[in-house]
Structures are given as C-alpha cells and as structure tokens.
Amino acid sequence: MISARCLTTCDDDEEDNSRVALILGDKPVCGVKALLMAPKIKLSSGYEMPMKGYQCLTAIHCAVETGFRHFDTAFCYENEKEVGEAIRTQIQMGNVSRENIFLTTKLWNTHHDPRDVRRICEKQLEALGFDYIDLYLMHFPVGYKHMCDEILQPMDGNKVQTSDVDYIDTWHAMEELVKLGMVRSIGVSNFNMEQVQRIIQCSSSKPVVNQVEIWPGFMQKDLVDYCRYNGIVVTAYAPLGQPDREMHSPIYFFSEGMRRLVKKYKRTAAQIVLRYLVDYGVVPIPKAGNPLHIKQNLNIFDFQLNEVDTRALRGIKPKDRLVKFDEVKDHTFYPFEREEEREQQPEEFEQEEIPPKRVTIPPAEPAEGEEAEPPVE
C-alpha cells in the first residue's frame, strides 16, 4: 500500500511554477483552506460530469491532487496506459475513489467498422486498467482505413486513406457497449448540427456530449444552442485559442483589453476566458502541464465576470477554426465548412468602462500547456 498522500510538492511561493500548493487529504496543508472542486452537470444518460475537465498530458497526479475529477484522453493521444496508471495510483493512495473520477476517452477514426468497436474498446479498457469508461466519444465522423491499431493515419502517398463506413453504423455499435456495461455514456466529437440530428433520428439514443472546438474567437453559437435545445452537453477543446506568446496569437489573449480584465479581476487571462466559457454554458477542457497552470485552471468558480465585461468578450471578432482535418475535407462526412477562408479582422476588443490612464500589466501566462507547443486534439 502506498503511504504517501501527495506526489507533488507544496510551496507557498506562487512564482515557483514547478510546484503546486494543494493536495487532497483530510487536512489542508501549506495554508490552503479548501480543495478546489468543480460543480457538476447532469447528462441525459443520468450520470453527472464535472463542469471542468483536464485534457491529459503528463501531470495527472498534480491534477488529481489539485481537485480535478474529469479527465479527457483518447486512443490517438497514445497515453491511455499512463493516464490509467496515474489515476489508479491516486486511488491506491486514498486520494480519490473510482466513483468520483469521470474518465473520457475516444474511439479513433481507424476503428469505425462496427465489427471493430467492441474489440478496440476492450483494448482501451485494458490499457486504462478500469472496468468501465464514463464517457466514450466518437472522435470524428470520418472513418479511416484500418491497417493495424498502431497506424493512426493510413497514408497513400500524401493522402489519408479513408473508409466509407457510415458513422450511424459506428454509433449503433457504440450503443451496444452501453448495454454491455463497458461504457456508461456515449457521445461524439467534431460533429456538426446535421450529423448530430441524423444520429438522433436514426438511433435509439442521442449523444450525451458533443466535444468541439470553442474559444472566444470561435464560439459556434448555433451549434451550442442546438445542442442545448436537445439536452446535449457541449465540451470545448482548445478553449483559449492555443495561445502562443512568440506569435502573439490569438491577439485577443494578449490585447490591452484583456490586460485590463487581468488587473480588474486579479486573475490570469486563461482564468478569465475559462470563466467566460463556463458562463456561456460549455464545459472547457484545457490542456496544462505546468502545476501552477493546472491549479489556476480549476480556480475559476469563486469569481464572476460582470455584464459589461462579458459583452466585451462576446464582441471579439469571429475567427477561423484552428483544428480543420483538412486532409479529409473531400469526404462525404467531413463536418466542417469547406470554404475556410474568412476575412481576418483585428481581435482587440473594447470595454465600455475604459480607465482614464493606460496601465501596463505583465502578460498573463497561458494555462494551456507549454507556450511553444500547440495542443494535439
């Protein structure tokens, strides 16, 4: 039995970005008064999902000890074994129970053949080391040709080899996983409104979740409204817009308007954006490898943006999507708009309450993983 209660170290100095000052135990340590926890939202399947997720990188122990209970991974991330081992270790340490963990993983595009769905799900359960998956998503509506499980993108020259498997047939095979008790809830990712509607019309169950790209420059209001109307929870990947300090992109994240909000609320730019998205009604799934950023990502439920600032964020000019899957844009089931070129406009946003004096604030650190390393969706 592992006797330690915490695999990350504690320090009161927040400037030390290599450590975090929270653990999950009977008594608070390092001056921390309470463990940060996210509220939950009820899925149409009857299960509850924390409203704040963590897209798994390397710091799983830190995320559990900070208070995260919703973990998002996928077959194509090639880290399910490591994620499972970390969570099981935390369970053995007594820091959390399996019942309090909400684990999401995904069916990859090479396994759309209905005859392959149960087999690969069993393989994923074995890698994770658990008896069931809380939420199993179809990663993308377009299927790829299956050559072997290790080849994620079967190529013919410079072209991805796709399959003609209908995602409806794949969905029906996923429904069987629920009946078998292998997964508790099923959903989709990167599906558009028409594709979600087709599943609803052709199946005995509807997706409980649609995980899509959402950030302040790409809010997908019509899709979010549609899903909300049909009782489908929307989870948001790339919720910050993949900040890159060197490229100063996306502009809104490093703008003077954002710096004013950082000073006003005494929060990082990432915390302000994540709070804005929660209020918008979606469940953000940010990436983070830095323990301080992991803590900050969860610490967004003790403040609220006022209406003026919410309107300012809502006024950010729409931008193009970041994750496009362009390599399969000619497929029948490609879910995104094919005319991707949009007029680019400045992203700086104005607040209605502008201070009379310009205030210089150091740029907030992005909390979506390493600055120079774009997320893998």
Side-chain angles (χ1 to χ4, degrees):
M1 179 69 176
I2 301 172
S3 58
R5 296 302 301 275
C6 180
L7 295 184
T8 53
T9 56
C10 301
D11 198 305
D12 290 329
D13 183 4
E14 289 195 356
E15 295 302 316
D16 182 358
N17 288 354
S18 66
R19 295 186 277 185
V20 65
L22 285 178
I23 69 166
L24 178 58
D26 297 328
K27 296 180 180 179
V29 297
C30 305
V32 178
K33 294 181 179 179
L35 183 74
L36 302 172
M37 296 293 285
K40 295 181 179 181
I41 186 170
K42 193 164 188 176
L43 303 175
S44 60
S45 58
Y47 294 99
E48 291 185 331
M49 178 177 74
M51 288 186 64
K52 191 70 172 48
Y54 174 69
Q55 193 171 71
C56 300
L57 291 176
T58 56
I60 310 300
H61 291 290
C62 176
V64 172
E65 291 160 6
T66 299
F68 275 97
R69 295 295 178 264
H70 178 181
F71 294 90
D72 183 278
T73 184
F75 183 87
C76 72
Y77 299 168
E78 300 182 287
N79 67 351
E80 288 175 314
K81 182 178 179 180
E82 292 75 18
V83 169
E85 287 176 349
I87 294 175
R88 292 198 313 276
T89 297
Q90 289 290 325
I91 293 172
Q92 289 176 336
M93 291 163 60
N95 285 346
V96 69
S97 66
R98 175 62 183 96
E99 292 71 28
N100 288 326
I101 290 291
F102 190 94
L103 183 58
T104 299
T105 192
K106 306 176 188 74
L107 177 77
W108 182 235
N109 308 345
T110 52
H111 303 123
H112 276 209
D113 188 322
R115 296 168 296 183
D116 217 18
V117 171
R118 177 174 175 176
R119 179 191 67 81
I120 202 63
C121 185
E122 288 174 341
K123 185 173 181 177
Q124 290 174 272
L125 282 168
E126 182 180 358
L128 291 163
F130 292 118
D131 296 328
Y132 66 90
I133 295 164
D134 293 280
L135 177 61
Y136 198 49
L137 304 179
M138 194 186 316
H139 207 138
F140 198 66
V142 176
Y144 294 174
K145 180 179 179 181
H146 180 264
M147 300 179 73
C148 68
D149 292 343
E150 288 70 33
I151 297 178
L152 300 178
Q153 283 201 317
M155 304 298 294
D156 182 7
N158 60 355
K159 186 177 179 182
V160 175
Q161 297 185 71
T162 59
S163 74
D164 58 359
V165 176
D166 192 329
Y167 59 83
I168 294 293
D169 296 328
T170 309
W171 179 260
H172 290 162
M174 291 173 65
E175 288 180 313
E176 292 301 312
L177 301 179
V178 178
K179 295 176 184 177
L180 292 168
M182 297 169 64
V183 305
R184 288 187 166 181
S185 303
I186 53 176
V188 294
S189 180
N190 296 299
F191 276 55
N192 62 35
M193 281 188 287
E194 291 75 15
Q195 290 170 333
V196 174
Q197 182 64 30
R198 186 165 172 251
I199 288 180
I200 293 174
Q201 291 174 339
C202 300
S203 309
S204 58
S205 63
K206 64 183 178 183
V208 303
V209 161
N210 188 11
Q211 184 177 124
V212 296
E213 176 185 331
I214 292 179
W215 53 284
F218 193 73
M219 294 296 281
Q220 301 216 65
K221 185 178 184 302
D222 290 344
L223 178 60
V224 172
D225 288 346
Y226 169 82
C227 288
R228 183 181 295 122
Y229 178 79
N230 284 281
I232 299 169
V233 173
V234 175
T235 55
Y237 68 74
L240 307 181
Q242 299 182 353
D244 186 320
R245 193 184 303 284
E246 289 186 8
M247 298 296 293
H248 208 69
S249 172
I251 295 174
Y252 89 90
F253 196 84
F254 302 97
S255 68
E256 183 62 29
M258 180 59 76
R259 284 193 282 270
R260 286 195 291 267
L261 296 185
V262 167
K263 178 176 175 61
K264 177 177 180 179
Y265 290 98
K266 296 181 174 57
R267 301 291 174 136
T268 67
Q271 287 174 310
I272 288 166
V273 172
L274 295 174
R275 177 74 233 196
Y276 169 61
L277 293 179
V278 167
D279 291 341
Y280 182 59
V282 302
V283 177
I285 311 285
K287 281 189 173 185
N290 184 305
L292 179 61
H293 294 165
I294 291 172
K295 174 187 172 183
Q296 290 171 341
N297 281 352
L298 191 59
N299 189 19
I300 63 169
F301 296 102
D302 58 351
F303 79 103
Q304 190 134 13
L305 301 171
N306 67 31
E307 182 58 34
V308 170
D309 297 329
T310 299
R311 285 203 302 271
L313 288 165
R314 199 181 298 143
I316 293 173
K317 295 293 189 292
K319 297 296 172 182
D320 197 4
R321 68 173 67 248
L322 301 170
V323 181
K324 301 176 183 178
F325 287 89
D326 272 342
E327 61 273 15
V328 294
K329 64 183 179 181
D330 295 327
H331 195 279
T332 304
F333 297 140
Y334 183 70
F336 307 144
E337 61 280 3
R338 288 181 172 82
E339 297 298 324
E340 297 269 341
E341 296 299 321
R342 297 179 181 177
E343 182 182 356
Q344 298 295 305
Q345 302 180 48
E347 286 184 56
E348 173 71 60
F349 64 89
E350 294 298 327
Q351 283 183 275
E352 296 183 21
E353 299 176 340
I354 301 177
K357 226 167 122 181
R358 187 186 178 102
V359 182
T360 303
I361 305 292
E365 292 192 3
E368 202 173 8
E370 300 301 325
E371 302 172 353
E373 211 175 33
V376 179
E377 304 298 349

